[in-house]
């Protein structure tokens, strides 16, 4: 009975407005015991698991250096966009594993995962990364092939004879 009275008195304080006002919750960093933040990125059929921690700028993809795994300069540019946007190039060590899809989809998945991991490590970076569109998952998928067609939409060549 006494518990109910204290609960009602707390409820009355809340309705009066005399209770302590709390500010909107500010996101807390999600960092594990080793000082890393983890996030998953996806693009097409690719899934990237990304770990970020402060360091010298080492970037490892599936056990290989990023420049060796993604040899094309275009893919390297796609992956480095989030760090360039927030002006933190070379300040984080990134370790990631990527599975599925092709190199283009894997690069997009790593970019998405890296952006999410950076926001988990430092929530103040979220507005800049959100404005750049790096936190939005690109959900476009390959259209399936239809019967009677050569590809998804391409028909066979028409011949009158």
């Amino acid at each position: 009975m006494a518990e109910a009275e204290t609960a009602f008195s707390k409820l009355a304080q809340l309705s009066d407005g005399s209770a302590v006002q709390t500010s909107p919750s500010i996101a807390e960093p999600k960092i594990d015991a080793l000082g890393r933040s983890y996030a998953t990125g996806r693009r097409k059929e690719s899934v990237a698991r990304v770990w970020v921690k402060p360091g010298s700028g080492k970037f490892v993809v599936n056990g290989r250096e990023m420049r060796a795994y993604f040899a094309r300069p275009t893919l390297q540019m796609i992956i480095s966009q989030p760090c360039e946007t927030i002006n933190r190039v070379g300040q984080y060590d990134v370790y990631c594993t990527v599975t599925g899809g092709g190199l283009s989809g894997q690069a997009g998945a790593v970019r998405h995962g890296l952006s999410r991991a950076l926001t988990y490590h430092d929530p103040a970076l979220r507005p800049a990364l959100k404005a750049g569109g790096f936190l939005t998952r690109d959900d476009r998928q390959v259209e399936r092939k239809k019967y009677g067609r050569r590809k998804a939409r391409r028909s066979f060549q028409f011949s009158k004879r």
Side-chain angles (χ1 to χ4, degrees):
M1 187 70 173
E3 296 170 7
E5 290 176 10
T6 57
F8 285 132
S9 64
K10 288 180 183 177
L11 184 63
Q13 286 178 348
L14 288 175
S15 63
D16 292 343
S18 61
V20 177
Q21 295 291 329
T22 59
S23 62
S25 62
I26 298 171
E28 292 291 324
K30 297 178 184 175
I31 300 173
D32 66 1
L34 299 174
R36 305 174 303 181
S37 292
Y38 167 78
T40 304
R42 292 181 182 86
R43 169 83 170 94
K44 293 186 178 179
E45 291 291 316
S46 302
V47 178
R49 301 183 310 157
V50 182
W51 289 269
V52 172
K53 69 176 183 176
S56 60
K58 193 167 96 172
F59 205 116
V60 179
V61 180
N62 288 352
R64 295 163 54 189
E65 186 66 31
M66 187 259 294
R67 299 201 185 280
Y69 192 85
F70 295 108
R72 283 187 255 160
T74 315
L75 301 179
Q76 295 173 12
M77 181 201 66
I78 287 171
I79 292 171
S80 61
Q81 282 176 336
C83 291
E84 291 172 358
T85 302
I86 59 173
N87 297 323
R88 304 246 175 124
V89 177
Q91 294 184 12
Y92 292 102
D93 287 341
V94 180
Y95 177 78
C96 60
T97 58
V98 191
T99 58
L103 286 177
S104 175
Q106 288 184 352
V110 170
R111 181 178 82 166
H112 184 231
L114 175 61
S115 303
R116 290 178 66 184
L118 287 170
T119 58
Y120 291 152
H121 196 273
D122 186 3
L125 301 175
R126 184 173 172 79
L129 292 171
K130 183 82 171 160
F134 303 124
L135 296 177
T136 305
R137 187 222 192 281
D138 189 357
D139 63 344
R140 294 177 294 171
Q141 296 291 323
V142 177
E143 190 174 350
R144 76 171 189 86
K145 183 193 176 302
K146 278 75 169 189
Y147 61 90
R149 301 255 173 189
R150 198 163 133 207
K151 294 177 13 178
R153 297 187 180 196
R154 172 89 164 93
S155 294
F156 293 104
Q157 184 173 348
F158 174 75
S159 175
K160 197 168 191 177
R161 298 184 177 98

